[in-house]
Amino acid sequence: MSTFFAKANEVERKWYVIDAAGLPLGRLATEAARILRGKHKPTFTPNVDAGDHVIVINAEKVILTGNKLDAKMYRRHSGYPGGLKEVPYRRLMQIMPERAVEHAVKGMLPHNKLGAQMYTKLKVYRNENHPHQAQKPETWTIQ
């Protein structure tokens, strides 16, 4: 019995749609990261990008529990001294809820080149309209 290792050129990729309406941001992000990484497949290999494509729709309807809307901050830095920008999640969810979902998922992927490659397979949209009907995406439900 030999251990199976997936090869990058032999991976079969599918497309999945996740409806974010009414889901907590963290639960949505962990499930999306799991699919992007390929951990839902029996052929999971840690050093190969064996994951599938994920389309997240209704990003504006995702919920944050507790006091996170006011207490949690989205931070970015320009790289210059004094270049820290902070936006509360209440404001971020009004102006660009896609970025909140992308930021949560990116933080749950590996922090290396492989994680960056996995992150490119994530597509997030504010409402239920998306231009990926040609890929025939399957619906992924989260309990």
Side-chain angles (χ1 to χ4, degrees):
M1 204 65 199
S2 62
T3 304
F4 174 79
F5 289 104
K7 317 291 190 288
N9 55 356
E10 296 174 0
V11 174
E12 182 182 326
R13 300 195 195 286
K14 290 185 175 181
W15 286 72
Y16 292 103
V17 174
I18 299 176
D19 189 0
L23 290 175
L25 179 61
R27 291 187 189 268
L28 168 70
T30 53
E31 199 64 27
R34 188 172 155 261
I35 297 168
L36 288 170
R37 189 127 193 252
K39 289 191 132 189
H40 64 292
K41 296 181 177 181
T43 59
F44 171 69
T45 308
N47 62 329
V48 175
D49 181 11
D52 295 323
H53 295 267
V54 176
I55 304 164
V56 178
I57 58 173
N58 290 323
E60 64 187 0
K61 296 178 184 172
V62 75
I63 58 172
L64 276 84
T65 57
N67 195 28
K68 293 187 195 98
L69 277 175
D70 298 315
K72 189 174 173 74
M73 293 285 187
Y74 172 72
R75 294 179 176 91
R76 66 186 192 280
H77 201 284
S78 67
Y80 289 96
L84 180 66
K85 309 283 187 186
E86 290 184 334
V87 179
Y89 263 73
R90 183 176 300 278
R91 177 95 176 106
L92 183 68
M93 293 303 289
Q94 291 170 352
I95 56 175
M96 47 188 145
E98 304 93 351
R99 180 140 329 150
V101 174
E102 290 169 356
H103 185 69
V105 173
K106 188 172 185 176
M108 295 181 185
L109 291 174
H111 302 290
N112 52 25
K113 291 179 183 177
L114 186 61
Q117 184 180 348
M118 292 172 186
Y119 179 69
T120 61
K121 295 184 311 230
L122 175 68
K123 314 292 184 214
V124 182
Y125 297 99
R126 178 182 291 257
N127 50 28
E128 64 273 347
N129 301 326
H130 64 85
H132 304 287
Q133 293 301 331
Q135 283 73 30
K136 297 182 180 71
E138 299 174 20
T139 304
W140 188 275
T141 56
I142 301 173
Q143 284 79 12

